[in-house]
Every structure is written in structure tokens, then in C-alpha cells.
Amino acid sequence: MAEHPRPNPLSAGLSVADVERQLEGRAELIATARRQHAELESLLSGRRWRRGLLRKPELVPALVARAEALREALERVQRRAATEAWSEELPVLREARELSARRERLTGLARRRLEVLAVVPAHLSLEEVLTRLEALVRQRPSWELNPGEVLVFETDTRRHPRGRQGEALRPGEGLSLRQRAAPLARSVLWPVVRPLAWPFLGSGRLRITSERVLWRPVFGELQEVRLGTIAEDGLQLASGSLGLRVVGNRLLQTRGMTDAEEVAALLELHRQAPLRGAARSGVRLESVALFPAKLGHLSGHAVLRPQGVSFIPEGQGPRALSAVTGKPTSLRGFDAAPVLESLRWLPGAEFDACVARVVEATGGQSWAAGETRYVAGTPVWRELRLVRGGDALVGKVEWAQEAAAGRLLREWPQALPSQG
């Protein structure tokens, strides 16, 4: 025998108040939730939604606290409406359906807001999305270094595409011949290109510290990701390699960075062994000089140490990175110089072990001080010449490395004067 729906409560002589009374407080819960959801939807739809969340700290916790009771109330109303054939005009039923539709809209809106700050798993409920969103908004990152935090690298694309500051690379230090020619090209081309390129280049500042990576865009909020939270595939280059997406405890997205691949390589180094946490000491290895050099006709980078010198050919950045981390990399557009410079955060023995792996992986060479002679007599900033047998390694030491190179060469056991 087919089931017949129960009579409409209104047609059965029950008033709206009677129906709401039978729902045992669920109608009031739905009415209160409608107001809360409407307020939150309006707040998140605004341009200053972050500020709105901060000004109303009670809004999200109140909504989340009633989540389970609200879910049960909506299910109860829908179930009774179907079983008892309620009229569509019944206020509690109309409010329940409006609230369900608003929750769906609010879920999409909250997810879009959260996606600006972090990666959002697909399975999260509205309350879970709101809880994560509020937590990230309240944990506002700081551009200033925290106590014990050390600056590793800084680049300012507002000045020019490769404007660096901080501790990682000083002007001209460890750059290839092509990179050293870049300032002249910029001085000629940049005044012409800048007005057209400004929306894409010159868009902010980036910092890598011993703990975090930070991006401060010209327009928009400061972004931050902790190095230890970056996922295995959490470094993603934008199309054309002019931007970088970093996925970790938060989401960081840069744009207008012509050195995005080099920045990604530095992040790969500092987020994992052996460099992860190494910069926290705030001390870099001093008994080393890094400088561009040539071995015969081959261009590259030289690493001068008390016990000898190593040469890494130019264009070997990816192999150098993989040699240090022990993992393959898809990055391509960077040289070995920033990798070698980053190794200075390691103690001497670890530095030498990493350099030895880099030399082997890149097809470079290492000469021991005992079998190599330094041809003295010419300032190292003009020419530094090292000879072993019939081979000569020739380079120029930048001003920031002159003192270190001078100290090292004075300690070499076979430092000989020039033969004129």
C-alpha cells in the first residue's frame, strides 16, 4: 500500500507558531544562523574583507560553534517538510532553504578568499574553510626579522630586474660575464622599456631568511611561507619564468621577477639538507673567495680555499644544485654562483664536501695548493693567476672578496713572485 503524505500542518489547523514550537528551538537557530551567514557573506564580499574579519573576531567562532546543531536542524526541517508535505510558504521552510543556498554561496566565496592565502583541499567544509581563513588573517606576517632570524637573500624588482641587497650576493660577486654585462644593457635599455614594463617588472621585494620567504608586492598584502613547510612540489614557476608560486603553510605568489629560477634554486637549497637551518647561526665561512674565472678557454667560477682551488664551468647551476641536495631538479635558468655562495653558511668541512660533489657533478677541476703556484705581483682585482703544470686558471676578484683572497694566498705554501 502506497504511503500518503501527512496533512499540511497549516491546513490541519496548526499555526506557524505551533510548527516552530514542534521544532523545539530549531526555527530560532535557523533564523539566527541566517543573520550570521548574511553578515559574513557581506563582509567577505567587500574589498577590505581581511580588516572586517579582524574587527569582528566573534563572527566565525560563533558560526562554527553552532555548526553541528545547525546541520541537524536543517536536516530535520527538510525531512519533516518532505514527509508532511509542508507548504512552500511556511516561513521556517523558506528560511531553511534560503540558508542552505546562502551556505553554498558562502562556501565558494570563503574558498576563493582562502585560496589567496593558502592551498585549499577540496573536501573542506564551510566551517573548516572559515576557521583556516580566520587563523591566517590573524597570523599577520612581519617584514621585519624576528629575534634570531637571519637574512639570507633579498631582491628588489622595483629598482631593476636583478637589484639585490642583503647577504647573499654583493654587487658583481660571483656573476658570469653575461651577468656582469647586464648593468650596461640596463642603463641603455631600461629607461626606454621601463614605462611599458612597469606593470610586470618592478612589482615588489622578496626576502629569504633562515626561517621564511617573504614577498612584499607594490600593491597588495605581504605574503609569507615558512621554509620548513614548503612541499616537495611546492616551488612552481609561472609561465615565462617571470614569477614564482610557493606552496607551504601559506601561499606566496610573485610576479615580474626575471631571476625567479635563481630564487627558486635558493629556496630549494635552504628548505632541505644540508643547508636547512644552517643560516640560523648568522655566520658565513670567511676563509673562502668566490670569483669568476677561466680555465684555458672555459669560463666558470673559482672557489679559493686554504687547501686549494676548485673550478666549476659556467652554466652548471642545475647540476650544482642537484649535487648539493642529492635530488634532481627541473630548474634551468640559473648559474652555479648562487649555489656556491649559499654553501658559505656551512662549516668548513661540510662546505668542502659539497664543493667536491659539485666539481664532480659539473665536470670541474680541483687543484691542491701544494701542486699549484700563485703568480704574484698583480692586484687580484685586476688578475689572479694560478698555474698547475701547463694549465692556468685566471680570474678577477671583486672588491668584496679581495681581503679574503689576499689572506688565503698569503697562506699558500708555494706562493711565488711573477717571473716578469
Side-chain angles (χ1 to χ4, degrees):
M1 180 179 292
E3 287 191 14
H4 295 285
R6 294 170 64 181
N8 187 313
L10 298 184
S11 63
L14 294 176
S15 67
V16 171
D18 292 332
V19 173
E20 293 181 351
R21 188 165 49 253
Q22 290 177 4
L23 289 173
E24 300 174 335
R26 294 179 179 86
E28 292 84 352
L29 177 61
I30 289 172
T32 300
R34 281 184 67 225
R35 292 192 294 271
Q36 291 176 331
H37 284 66
E39 184 177 6
L40 193 53
E41 184 179 24
S42 175
L43 185 153
L44 291 179
S45 299
R47 186 168 58 89
R48 297 184 176 181
W49 59 272
R50 289 183 179 87
R51 185 177 299 178
L53 281 179
L54 292 173
R55 286 179 174 175
K56 297 200 172 181
E58 76 287 349
L59 197 56
V60 170
L63 188 149
V64 171
R66 298 187 178 95
E68 192 59 39
L70 180 61
R71 190 176 297 108
E72 189 275 336
L74 290 173
E75 290 175 356
R76 179 73 174 270
V77 168
Q78 296 294 345
R79 186 167 59 250
R80 286 196 59 180
T83 303
E84 301 175 13
W86 285 3
S87 168
E88 294 292 332
E89 299 305 315
L90 194 65
V92 68
L93 177 58
R94 186 174 64 251
E95 290 182 357
R97 289 179 174 171
E98 289 176 1
L99 177 57
S100 295
R102 189 181 297 276
R103 282 178 60 83
E104 187 173 344
R105 291 197 308 273
L106 185 56
T107 300
L109 175 59
R111 286 185 65 89
R112 289 194 296 276
R113 294 307 192 194
L114 183 55
E115 285 167 356
V116 174
L117 305 175
V119 174
V120 188
H123 65 275
L124 294 186
S125 67
L126 170 61
E127 288 74 22
E128 289 171 323
V129 172
L130 289 173
T131 299
R132 293 193 183 193
L133 180 62
E134 188 195 37
L136 289 178
V137 168
R138 298 201 178 284
Q139 297 166 5
R140 303 190 71 176
S142 170
W143 180 256
E144 302 306 318
L145 300 181
N146 298 319
E149 191 173 18
V150 178
L151 180 64
V152 172
F153 173 89
E154 183 169 356
T155 183
D156 190 342
T157 59
R158 297 174 303 173
R159 298 184 180 180
H160 54 70
R162 296 188 63 85
R164 288 190 182 82
Q165 300 168 8
E167 295 296 328
L169 286 178
R170 295 184 174 88
E173 185 173 313
L175 301 182
S176 67
L177 294 177
R178 174 181 59 81
Q179 293 166 333
R180 288 157 63 85
L184 177 60
R186 283 197 301 271
S187 66
V188 176
L189 298 177
W190 190 242
V192 178
V193 174
R194 180 172 179 170
L196 299 175
W198 181 254
F200 307 100
L201 301 176
S203 58
R205 296 171 64 186
L206 180 135
R207 274 183 171 178
I208 300 175
T209 77
S210 54
E211 309 296 333
R212 305 173 290 159
V213 53
L214 299 110
W215 171 249
R216 173 181 274 175
V218 172
F219 303 105
E221 299 285 333
L222 176 64
Q223 302 170 36
E224 170 199 274
V225 173
R226 300 195 67 82
L227 298 184
T229 69
I230 298 176
E232 276 299 315
D233 58 349
L235 298 173
Q236 301 155 12
L237 290 170
S239 177
S241 298
L242 289 176
L244 180 65
R245 187 172 187 260
V246 184
V247 180
N249 64 313
R250 291 174 177 261
L251 181 63
L252 181 150
Q253 299 186 80
T254 75
R255 66 181 182 86
M257 293 180 61
T258 59
D259 52 355
E261 288 203 81
E262 183 177 312
V263 170
L266 292 174
L267 287 171
E268 284 285 14
L269 283 169
H270 286 277
R271 77 175 185 86
Q272 59 187 306
L275 269 98
R276 182 175 175 179
R280 290 172 185 160
S281 67
V283 177
R284 294 196 303 165
L285 189 63
E286 293 186 355
S287 57
V288 59
L290 306 173
F291 56 95
K294 278 191 172 185
L295 181 57
H297 296 292
L298 188 62
S299 297
H301 312 279
V303 182
L304 189 65
R305 290 280 284 141
Q307 68 272 24
V309 64
S310 298
F311 175 81
I312 292 89
E314 191 176 34
Q316 296 295 316
R319 289 185 178 180
L321 175 61
S322 295
V324 174
T325 64
K327 298 178 181 179
T329 180
S330 60
L331 300 173
R332 290 292 176 265
F334 65 100
D335 214 338
V339 177
L340 298 170
E341 179 66 30
S342 293
L343 295 179
R344 291 182 59 193
W345 292 108
L346 297 173
E350 291 184 54
F351 176 91
D352 292 331
C354 286
V355 170
R357 294 202 300 271
V358 170
V359 169
E360 182 179 2
T362 60
Q365 291 191 36
S366 290
W367 296 354
E371 60 187 28
T372 306
R373 69 184 180 92
Y374 160 51
V375 181
T378 304
V380 294
W381 59 266
R382 182 175 295 170
E383 180 182 273
L384 191 162
R385 178 179 291 269
L386 302 171
V387 179
R388 187 186 71 165
D391 297 324
L393 188 150
V394 182
K396 293 182 179 181
V397 179
E398 299 292 341
W399 65 269
Q401 302 274 286
E402 284 183 41
R407 287 194 303 269
L408 290 167
L409 293 172
R410 284 193 296 272
E411 296 173 2
W412 273 38
Q414 291 189 2
L416 301 176
S418 173
Q419 301 301 309

